[in-house]
Amino acid sequence: MPISFENLLPRSPGQPASALLGETIRRRVKDENAAFTLSDFVWDSAPCDSWNASCHVLNFALTPRPQPSWISFGGPQRYALGPLMFVPQGIETRSYLARGRQRSLTCLLSAEVIERLLGRSPHWDNSDLEHALNLRNPAIEQMLWRIARELERPGFASAALLEALGNALAIELIRIFRLEQRLTPKRRTGGLAPWRMRRIRARAQADEPAPDLGELSAICGISVRHLTRAFKAETGQTLANYVEQVVMDRARVKLAETCEPIAEIAVRLGFASSASFCSAYRRHTGERPSDLRKARRVTD
């Protein structure tokens, strides 16, 4: 199905999609598989609307989102929007956007490009959707900043570059949510209750030193032995490996998005020294923390 901007947002009869949200389009480019829009929004009132996108939607806030802003998936549960959100094609949503201003980059990816790369239709469960509303992925964020700069100042072979970046975004999303599906498979006998899984994720992703097994067992109200066995039954991986994975994801975000010294990042993540952090990071990612910093400087 061709990319359609008009099917993306709700609107009154006869009203352009951009008019309802006070959108000023700075530049818009599209091809068969992807479309990119760089926009400024001004919300004089707080719109609250239901919508169902005909394609996959990535929205990246280039300036802070007005708060509070939230989205729901047809139920009473509301989720806060992070700087980078992803809403899969065909998912019914209801959103509330606080009054204010925002510049954002919206990327639409056709359902066909994801299915073609993945080899099947993707399945999204509630855990995937909750995670998607506040993606923390340095690779995707770097690509989106690159797209925004290209839209502002197009250079040689701009269309070819944007097409390549659109395909790269689709591949990176597939990688992310294959991983998430491994973390949240169908419930197995002996697994963890959803509320315990949510507590584990929230604590592991908090901007604090990484939790140990004793702390996680305390917030779940069960013994360490019970917790580790149940987590393995629920997810197929050990709890220690999961925590390390989340810590390394947080490390990549800090290295990519901040100028904090590596030693300070190590302390924030709970490492005894920068040397132990660098060793763990290299073991997990195959590169040194300084390599990501150098790559960011080259990209910028």
Side-chain angles (χ1 to χ4, degrees), residues 108 122 164 177 201 224 239 254 259 268:
L108 311 183
F177 289 103
R201 289 194 186 93
V224 170
L239 182 53
K254 289 182 179 296
C259 296
R268 280 180 174 272

Side-chain angles (χ1 to χ4, degrees), residues 3 37 109 133 163 176 237 260 264 295:
I3 293 289
T37 304
L109 300 173
L133 296 178
E163 181 180 3
I176 291 171
Q237 70 173 155
E260 288 184 54
E264 290 185 13

Side-chain angles (χ1 to χ4, degrees), residues 68-195:
S69 294
W70 54 260
I71 197 168
S72 67
F73 299 108
Q77 182 69 44
R78 297 176 178 180
Y79 302 98
L81 295 178
L84 173 58
M85 76 167 187
F86 171 66
V87 178
Q89 177 264 342
I91 300 297
E92 186 74 30
T93 62
R94 182 172 176 81
S95 61
Y96 173 89
L97 305 171
R99 295 178 60 182
R101 298 172 177 267
Q102 180 189 312
R103 175 169 295 181
S104 68
L105 171 66
T106 301
C107 302
L108 311 183
L109 300 173
S110 71
E112 288 78 5
V113 70
I114 295 283
E115 291 179 8
R116 185 168 63 249
L117 289 166
L118 187 59
R120 57 179 172 81
S121 296
H123 170 73
W124 311 99
D125 61 26
N126 287 337
S127 178
D128 293 329
L129 297 177
E130 182 177 351
H131 173 63
L133 296 178
N134 189 15
L135 282 180
R136 305 289 291 178
N137 185 278
I140 286 183
E141 291 181 10
Q142 287 178 18
M143 283 187 274
L144 293 174
W145 278 115
R146 184 69 183 88
I147 290 169
R149 289 195 295 269
E150 189 65 25
L151 291 175
E152 285 274 25
R153 298 183 296 276
F156 172 74
S158 181
L161 176 60
L162 290 173
E163 181 180 3
L165 288 168
N167 286 329
L169 284 173
I171 292 168
E172 195 66 31
L173 286 168
I174 289 170
R175 291 180 175 183
I176 291 171
F177 289 103
R178 276 180 173 170
L179 175 62
E180 286 297 303
Q181 288 163 7
R182 287 201 301 272
L183 290 177
T184 55
K186 293 181 179 179
R187 293 294 310 281
R188 300 178 177 88
T189 302
L192 282 172
W195 67 268

